[in-house]
């Protein structure tokens, strides 16, 4: 029997994207649409925006919505209650989004945070296809990750599995928005690297410009990327020591920095690794913008979560 089509919604702070995917032809969506989230309109409005995207998918494809829909969300889902937490779209926090979307749409919903969706898509269809244990990193404005084991997302007791961005780094004391100090995110997020360069030069420039300047021989830009290499190595070695993944896919804006995939970064990881060699592959994402919505669609399969 032909596997059912999978419907996914990627709910972001600025846009809601929906796609219908054929699991046998995952390279392209059967239908795909997006609308602005308009999160300023509040929680109930966001629910209506998701419903509007589902209705658009129906009209574009001529299909009816299936009985199960996957939804990627900003923030984590507390497994004990189903309430959203840690979301930067703050009106979602504390809300039973899965239940409310199910009521609004008349279907079962399966939710996962956006980093888990990214990891699931890259592990199933993308850069780490065929790997058993995959960590999908998001390093951008924030730092997070999703862990996929044998094709399923490892969610965890508190729904925070993979939150390495708020692990502490040795010797770092920068305060983090989370209330702790010296978190990985305070050292290697895009804004943290831009701040580091700014403190050395008095200039406020974007990370892509810093990378260009480093290539051109700017010493302060070189030191900024050196700091990324050092701190990323320390931070990700802690993850590898525990998860020991086959592959790590690096998404988010900082994932575009070539040096992360080179010999310096691997040497930095090895300095902190409890093993004489490092075989884990560091890979660039393969699915681009599609990872979020395809990962959400994959949640609609029968055995996606542990
Ligand atoms: Zn933190």
């Amino acid at each position: 029997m032909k596997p059912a089509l999978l419907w996914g919604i990627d709910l972001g702070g600025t846009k809601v994207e929906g796609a219908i995917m054929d699991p046998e032809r995952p390279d392209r969506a059967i239908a795909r649409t997006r609308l602005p989230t308009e999160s300023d309109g509040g929680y109930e409005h966001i629910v209506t925006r998701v419903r509007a995207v589902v209705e658009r998918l129906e009209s574009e494809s001529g299909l009816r919505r299936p009985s199960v829909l996957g939804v990627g969300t900003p923030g984590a889902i507390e497994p004990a209650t189903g309430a959203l937490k840690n979301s930067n779209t703050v009106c979602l926090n504390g809300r039973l989004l899965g239940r409310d979307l199910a009521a609004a749409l008349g279907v079962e919903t399966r939710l996962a945070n956006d980093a888990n969706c990214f990891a699931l898509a890259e592990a199933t269809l993308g850069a780490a296809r065929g790997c058993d244990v995959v960590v999908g990193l998001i390093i951008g404005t924030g730092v997070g990750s999703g862990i996929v084991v044998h094709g399923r997302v490892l969610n965890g007791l508190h729904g925070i599995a993979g939150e390495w961005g708020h692990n502490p780094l040795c010797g770092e004391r920068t305060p983090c928005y989370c209330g702790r100090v010296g978190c990985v995110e305070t050292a290697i997020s895009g804004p943290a690297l831009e701040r580091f360069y700014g403190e050395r030069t008095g200039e406020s420039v974007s990370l892509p410009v810093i990378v260009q300047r480093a290539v051109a021989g700017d010493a302060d830009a070189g030191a900024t990327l050196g700091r990324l290499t050092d701190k990323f190595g320390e931070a990700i070695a802690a993850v590898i020591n525990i998860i020991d993944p086959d592959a790590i896919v690096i998404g988010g804006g900082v994932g575009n920095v070539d040096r992360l995939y080179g010999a310096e970064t691997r040497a930095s990881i090895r300095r902190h690794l409890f093993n004489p060699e490092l075989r884990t592959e560091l890979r660039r994402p393969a699915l681009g913008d599609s990872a979020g919505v395809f990962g959400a669609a994959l949640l609609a399969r029968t055995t996606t979560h542990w």
Side-chain angles (χ1 to χ4, degrees), residues 11-274:
L11 170 56
T14 55
K15 67 174 173 59
V16 185
E17 183 160 22
I20 305 173
M21 194 182 81
D22 179 348
E24 291 188 336
R25 292 286 313 276
D27 49 317
R28 60 182 181 85
I30 288 166
R32 189 164 174 173
T33 191
R34 63 167 65 175
L35 286 174
T37 310
E38 298 174 352
S39 46
D40 290 350
Y43 179 72
E44 280 77 18
H45 185 65
I46 292 176
V47 171
T48 67
R49 298 300 278 172
V50 174
R51 190 173 64 203
V53 165
V54 172
E55 286 164 356
R56 273 204 190 192
L57 287 177
E58 287 181 326
S59 60
E60 281 181 22
S61 66
L63 299 167
R64 286 286 299 155
R65 69 193 70 172
S67 58
V68 181
L69 210 75
V71 183
T73 69
I77 297 104
E78 168 56 51
T81 62
L84 246 70
K85 60 184 179 183
N86 300 345
S87 176
N88 53 6
T89 306
V90 289
C91 68
L92 296 174
N93 286 326
R95 297 294 193 141
L96 299 174
L97 181 65
R99 183 199 68 181
D100 295 342
L101 285 177
L105 299 168
V107 301
E108 180 190 338
T109 54
R110 295 202 188 131
L111 272 59
N113 86 12
D114 37 19
N116 285 352
C117 289
F118 166 78
L120 182 60
E122 290 291 346
T124 310
L125 311 168
R129 194 174 183 166
C131 296
D132 264 352
V133 180
V134 177
V135 177
L137 309 179
I138 305 279
I139 316 178
T141 309
V143 176
S145 83
I147 300 166
V148 176
V149 181
H150 308 312
R152 294 199 287 172
V153 171
L154 179 67
N155 201 37
L157 176 67
H158 307 94
I160 60 163
E163 294 291 1
W164 69 300
H166 298 275
N167 282 352
L169 287 165
C170 287
E172 291 293 320
R173 299 297 302 162
T174 306
C176 183
Y177 79 88
C178 75
R180 282 163 282 270
V181 296
C183 293
V184 170
E185 187 168 306
T186 67
I188 67 165
S189 68
L193 294 165
E194 290 161 2
R195 194 173 55 242
F196 180 82
Y197 184 75
E199 282 166 3
R200 292 174 70 102
T201 61
E203 271 190 275
S204 174
V205 295
S206 70
L207 182 61
V209 172
I210 297 169
V211 171
Q212 281 173 7
R213 289 185 181 182
V215 171
D218 175 337
D220 293 309
T224 305
L225 296 193
R227 177 171 166 83
L228 169 62
T229 304
D230 279 355
K231 299 298 175 182
F232 174 80
E234 179 187 345
I236 203 64
V239 174
I240 299 172
N241 280 342
I242 294 169
I243 308 288
D244 200 3
D246 300 286
I248 296 173
V249 185
I250 312 177
V254 180
N256 293 323
V257 177
D258 289 338
R259 196 181 298 210
L260 283 177
Y261 306 90
E264 284 170 67
T265 297
R266 298 189 70 81
S268 170
I269 297 170
R270 276 198 305 274
R271 279 197 290 278
H272 301 277
L273 194 70
F274 188 61

